[in-house]
Structure formats: structure tokens, C-alpha cells
Short mmCIF file of all heavy atoms in Angstrom, two decimals:
data_model
loop_
_atom_site.label_atom_id
_atom_site.label_comp_id
_atom_site.label_asym_id
_atom_site.label_seq_id
_atom_site.Cartn_x
_atom_site.Cartn_y
_atom_site.Cartn_z
N GLY A 68 -2.58 -7.45 11.40
CA GLY A 68 -2.99 -7.87 10.06
C GLY A 68 -2.41 -9.21 9.66
O GLY A 68 -3.11 -10.09 9.14
N ILE A 69 -1.12 -9.37 9.90
CA ILE A 69 -0.43 -10.60 9.47
C ILE A 69 -0.79 -11.79 10.35
O ILE A 69 -1.13 -12.87 9.86
CB ILE A 69 1.10 -10.38 9.46
CG1 ILE A 69 1.49 -9.38 8.37
CG2 ILE A 69 1.83 -11.70 9.26
CD1 ILE A 69 2.95 -9.01 8.38
N PHE A 70 -0.71 -11.60 11.68
CA PHE A 70 -0.84 -12.74 12.60
C PHE A 70 -2.27 -13.03 13.03
O PHE A 70 -2.55 -14.13 13.52
CB PHE A 70 0.03 -12.51 13.83
CG PHE A 70 1.50 -12.44 13.51
CD1 PHE A 70 2.20 -11.26 13.66
CD2 PHE A 70 2.18 -13.55 13.03
CE1 PHE A 70 3.56 -11.19 13.36
CE2 PHE A 70 3.53 -13.50 12.72
CZ PHE A 70 4.22 -12.31 12.87
N ILE A 71 -3.18 -12.08 12.89
CA ILE A 71 -4.58 -12.34 13.27
C ILE A 71 -5.44 -12.50 12.02
O ILE A 71 -6.07 -13.54 11.82
CB ILE A 71 -5.12 -11.22 14.17
CG1 ILE A 71 -4.32 -11.15 15.48
CG2 ILE A 71 -6.61 -11.47 14.47
CD1 ILE A 71 -4.73 -10.01 16.40
N ILE A 72 -5.47 -11.50 11.16
CA ILE A 72 -6.33 -11.55 9.97
C ILE A 72 -5.74 -12.48 8.92
O ILE A 72 -6.44 -13.27 8.30
CB ILE A 72 -6.54 -10.13 9.41
CG1 ILE A 72 -7.32 -9.29 10.42
CG2 ILE A 72 -7.26 -10.18 8.06
CD1 ILE A 72 -7.46 -7.83 10.05
N GLY A 73 -4.42 -12.40 8.70
CA GLY A 73 -3.76 -13.30 7.78
C GLY A 73 -3.59 -12.73 6.37
O GLY A 73 -4.31 -11.82 5.96
N ARG A 74 -2.63 -13.30 5.65
CA ARG A 74 -2.33 -12.85 4.29
C ARG A 74 -3.18 -13.59 3.26
O ARG A 74 -3.65 -14.69 3.50
CB ARG A 74 -0.84 -13.08 3.97
CG ARG A 74 0.12 -12.29 4.82
CD ARG A 74 1.54 -12.44 4.29
NE ARG A 74 2.01 -13.82 4.36
CZ ARG A 74 2.66 -14.33 5.38
NH1 ARG A 74 2.92 -13.59 6.44
NH2 ARG A 74 3.07 -15.59 5.36
N ILE A 75 -3.33 -12.96 2.10
CA ILE A 75 -3.94 -13.62 0.96
C ILE A 75 -2.97 -14.67 0.44
O ILE A 75 -1.76 -14.43 0.34
CB ILE A 75 -4.25 -12.59 -0.15
CG1 ILE A 75 -5.37 -11.66 0.30
CG2 ILE A 75 -4.64 -13.29 -1.46
CD1 ILE A 75 -5.61 -10.51 -0.65
N LYS A 76 -3.48 -15.83 0.11
CA LYS A 76 -2.63 -16.88 -0.45
C LYS A 76 -1.98 -16.39 -1.74
O LYS A 76 -2.64 -15.88 -2.63
CB LYS A 76 -3.47 -18.13 -0.73
CG LYS A 76 -2.65 -19.32 -1.19
CD LYS A 76 -3.54 -20.54 -1.41
CE LYS A 76 -2.72 -21.74 -1.86
NZ LYS A 76 -3.57 -22.93 -2.09
N GLY A 77 -0.66 -16.52 -1.82
CA GLY A 77 0.07 -16.04 -2.99
C GLY A 77 0.77 -14.71 -2.75
O GLY A 77 1.58 -14.28 -3.56
N ILE A 78 0.46 -14.03 -1.61
CA ILE A 78 1.12 -12.79 -1.25
C ILE A 78 2.05 -13.08 -0.08
O ILE A 78 1.60 -13.39 1.02
CB ILE A 78 0.11 -11.69 -0.84
CG1 ILE A 78 -0.82 -11.37 -2.01
CG2 ILE A 78 0.83 -10.44 -0.37
CD1 ILE A 78 -0.13 -10.71 -3.17
N ALA A 79 3.36 -12.99 -0.33
CA ALA A 79 4.33 -13.30 0.72
C ALA A 79 4.43 -12.18 1.75
O ALA A 79 4.64 -12.43 2.94
CB ALA A 79 5.71 -13.55 0.09
N ARG A 80 4.31 -10.94 1.30
CA ARG A 80 4.44 -9.79 2.20
C ARG A 80 3.42 -8.72 1.84
O ARG A 80 3.35 -8.29 0.69
CB ARG A 80 5.84 -9.18 2.08
CG ARG A 80 6.99 -10.06 2.54
CD ARG A 80 7.03 -10.19 4.06
NE ARG A 80 8.24 -10.86 4.47
CZ ARG A 80 8.40 -12.18 4.51
NH1 ARG A 80 7.40 -12.97 4.13
NH2 ARG A 80 9.54 -12.71 4.91
N PRO A 81 2.61 -8.27 2.79
CA PRO A 81 1.73 -7.13 2.52
C PRO A 81 2.53 -5.83 2.47
O PRO A 81 3.67 -5.78 2.96
CB PRO A 81 0.78 -7.14 3.72
CG PRO A 81 1.57 -7.78 4.81
CD PRO A 81 2.46 -8.79 4.15
N GLY A 82 1.95 -4.80 1.88
CA GLY A 82 2.64 -3.51 1.78
C GLY A 82 1.71 -2.36 2.13
O GLY A 82 0.53 -2.38 1.79
N PHE A 83 2.24 -1.35 2.82
CA PHE A 83 1.47 -0.15 3.13
C PHE A 83 1.42 0.75 1.91
O PHE A 83 2.44 1.00 1.27
CB PHE A 83 2.12 0.62 4.29
CG PHE A 83 1.62 0.21 5.65
CD1 PHE A 83 2.49 -0.28 6.61
CD2 PHE A 83 0.27 0.32 5.98
CE1 PHE A 83 2.04 -0.64 7.86
CE2 PHE A 83 -0.19 -0.04 7.23
CZ PHE A 83 0.70 -0.52 8.19
N MET A 84 0.23 1.26 1.61
CA MET A 84 0.05 2.09 0.42
C MET A 84 -0.82 3.32 0.72
O MET A 84 -2.04 3.21 0.87
CB MET A 84 -0.60 1.28 -0.71
CG MET A 84 -0.74 2.04 -2.02
SD MET A 84 -1.97 1.30 -3.11
CE MET A 84 -3.49 1.73 -2.23
N PRO A 85 -0.22 4.51 0.80
CA PRO A 85 -1.01 5.74 0.90
C PRO A 85 -1.28 6.32 -0.48
O PRO A 85 -0.72 5.87 -1.49
CB PRO A 85 -0.08 6.67 1.69
CG PRO A 85 1.29 6.26 1.22
CD PRO A 85 1.22 4.76 0.94
N THR A 86 -2.13 7.33 -0.54
CA THR A 86 -2.32 8.15 -1.73
C THR A 86 -1.72 9.51 -1.44
O THR A 86 -2.01 10.12 -0.40
CB THR A 86 -3.81 8.30 -2.09
OG1 THR A 86 -4.38 7.00 -2.26
CG2 THR A 86 -3.97 9.09 -3.37
N LEU A 87 -0.87 10.00 -2.34
CA LEU A 87 -0.12 11.24 -2.13
C LEU A 87 -0.44 12.25 -3.22
O LEU A 87 -0.87 11.89 -4.32
CB LEU A 87 1.38 10.93 -2.12
CG LEU A 87 1.82 9.98 -0.99
CD1 LEU A 87 3.28 9.57 -1.20
CD2 LEU A 87 1.63 10.61 0.37
N PRO A 88 -0.24 13.55 -2.96
CA PRO A 88 -0.62 14.58 -3.93
C PRO A 88 0.36 14.73 -5.09
O PRO A 88 1.53 14.36 -4.98
CB PRO A 88 -0.61 15.86 -3.07
CG PRO A 88 0.41 15.59 -2.01
CD PRO A 88 0.28 14.11 -1.70
N VAL A 89 -0.14 15.27 -6.19
CA VAL A 89 0.70 15.67 -7.33
C VAL A 89 0.32 17.09 -7.72
O VAL A 89 -0.76 17.58 -7.39
CB VAL A 89 0.54 14.73 -8.54
CG1 VAL A 89 1.02 13.33 -8.21
CG2 VAL A 89 -0.92 14.69 -9.01
N LYS A 90 1.19 17.75 -8.47
CA LYS A 90 1.00 19.18 -8.72
C LYS A 90 -0.06 19.49 -9.78
O LYS A 90 -0.65 20.56 -9.76
CB LYS A 90 2.33 19.82 -9.12
CG LYS A 90 2.86 19.40 -10.48
CD LYS A 90 4.19 20.07 -10.79
CE LYS A 90 4.68 19.74 -12.20
NZ LYS A 90 5.99 20.34 -12.49
N ASN A 91 -0.29 18.58 -10.71
CA ASN A 91 -1.14 18.91 -11.86
C ASN A 91 -2.49 18.20 -11.86
O ASN A 91 -3.18 18.14 -12.87
CB ASN A 91 -0.40 18.58 -13.16
CG ASN A 91 0.02 17.12 -13.22
OD1 ASN A 91 -0.16 16.37 -12.26
ND2 ASN A 91 0.58 16.71 -14.34
N SER A 92 -2.88 17.63 -10.72
CA SER A 92 -4.13 16.88 -10.68
C SER A 92 -4.60 16.75 -9.24
O SER A 92 -3.79 16.82 -8.30
CB SER A 92 -3.94 15.49 -11.29
OG SER A 92 -5.07 14.68 -11.07
N ASP A 93 -5.89 16.54 -9.05
CA ASP A 93 -6.42 16.27 -7.73
C ASP A 93 -6.48 14.78 -7.42
O ASP A 93 -6.91 14.38 -6.33
CB ASP A 93 -7.83 16.86 -7.61
CG ASP A 93 -7.83 18.38 -7.58
OD1 ASP A 93 -6.83 18.97 -7.10
OD2 ASP A 93 -8.81 18.99 -8.05
N ASP A 94 -6.06 13.95 -8.38
CA ASP A 94 -6.14 12.51 -8.19
C ASP A 94 -5.05 11.95 -7.29
O ASP A 94 -5.25 10.97 -6.60
CB ASP A 94 -6.08 11.80 -9.55
CG ASP A 94 -7.33 12.03 -10.38
OD1 ASP A 94 -8.40 12.21 -9.78
OD2 ASP A 94 -7.23 12.04 -11.61
N GLY A 95 -3.86 12.56 -7.32
CA GLY A 95 -2.75 12.04 -6.55
C GLY A 95 -2.19 10.77 -7.15
O GLY A 95 -2.52 10.37 -8.27
N PHE A 96 -1.32 10.11 -6.39
CA PHE A 96 -0.76 8.83 -6.83
C PHE A 96 -0.59 7.92 -5.64
O PHE A 96 -0.49 8.36 -4.49
CB PHE A 96 0.59 9.03 -7.55
CG PHE A 96 1.75 9.36 -6.63
CD1 PHE A 96 2.64 8.38 -6.23
CD2 PHE A 96 1.95 10.65 -6.17
CE1 PHE A 96 3.71 8.67 -5.40
CE2 PHE A 96 3.02 10.97 -5.34
CZ PHE A 96 3.90 9.97 -4.94
N ASN A 97 -0.59 6.61 -5.89
CA ASN A 97 -0.37 5.61 -4.85
C ASN A 97 1.08 5.18 -4.83
O ASN A 97 1.68 4.96 -5.89
CB ASN A 97 -1.25 4.38 -5.09
CG ASN A 97 -2.72 4.66 -4.89
OD1 ASN A 97 -3.51 4.58 -5.82
ND2 ASN A 97 -3.10 5.02 -3.68
N MET A 98 1.64 5.06 -3.63
CA MET A 98 3.00 4.55 -3.50
C MET A 98 3.00 3.36 -2.55
O MET A 98 2.40 3.40 -1.48
CB MET A 98 3.96 5.63 -2.98
CG MET A 98 5.41 5.17 -2.95
SD MET A 98 6.58 6.55 -2.81
CE MET A 98 6.19 7.16 -1.18
N ILE A 99 3.66 2.28 -2.96
CA ILE A 99 3.71 1.06 -2.19
C ILE A 99 5.08 0.40 -2.38
O ILE A 99 5.57 0.36 -3.50
CB ILE A 99 2.56 0.11 -2.60
CG1 ILE A 99 2.47 -1.11 -1.70
CG2 ILE A 99 2.67 -0.31 -4.07
CD1 ILE A 99 1.21 -1.97 -1.91
N ASP A 100 5.72 -0.03 -1.37
CA ASP A 100 5.46 -0.10 0.05
C ASP A 100 6.11 1.10 0.74
O ASP A 100 7.17 1.54 0.33
CB ASP A 100 6.04 -1.42 0.57
CG ASP A 100 5.97 -1.60 2.06
OD1 ASP A 100 5.04 -1.09 2.69
OD2 ASP A 100 6.86 -2.26 2.61
N VAL A 101 5.48 1.59 1.83
CA VAL A 101 6.04 2.74 2.52
C VAL A 101 6.39 2.40 3.97
O VAL A 101 6.35 3.26 4.84
CB VAL A 101 5.10 3.96 2.47
CG1 VAL A 101 4.89 4.42 1.04
CG2 VAL A 101 3.79 3.68 3.16
N GLY A 102 6.76 1.14 4.22
CA GLY A 102 7.26 0.84 5.54
C GLY A 102 6.88 -0.47 6.16
O GLY A 102 7.30 -0.79 7.27
#
């Protein structure tokens, strides 16, 4: 992603973002960065 596709101008570091579950909704939540 970084060395072939490249970053968006103005973004110094990309971040991994999954969607994770929560107890009171089916929507979940996003957490970034995860590694």
C-alpha cells in the first residue's frame, strides 16, 4: 500500500481500521490504528 499504491497527500501514516462488535447494537465500532 505504501510503496506501490502510495499515500494520500497530507497523510503521513496510514492506519489499519477494523469494525468490532458492541453489546447493545449490531452496528459495532471502528478502531484505528490496530497495527
Side-chain angles (χ1 to χ4, degrees):
I69 293 175
F70 297 112
I71 298 176
I72 295 173
R74 296 189 297 269
I75 291 172
K76 186 178 180 181
I78 299 292
R80 295 287 189 276
F83 270 121
M84 184 199 71
T86 303
L87 299 171
V89 296
K90 69 181 185 182
N91 58 355
S92 171
D93 290 331
D94 290 330
F96 74 99
N97 291 116
M98 185 163 66
I99 187 170
D100 174 31
V101 297

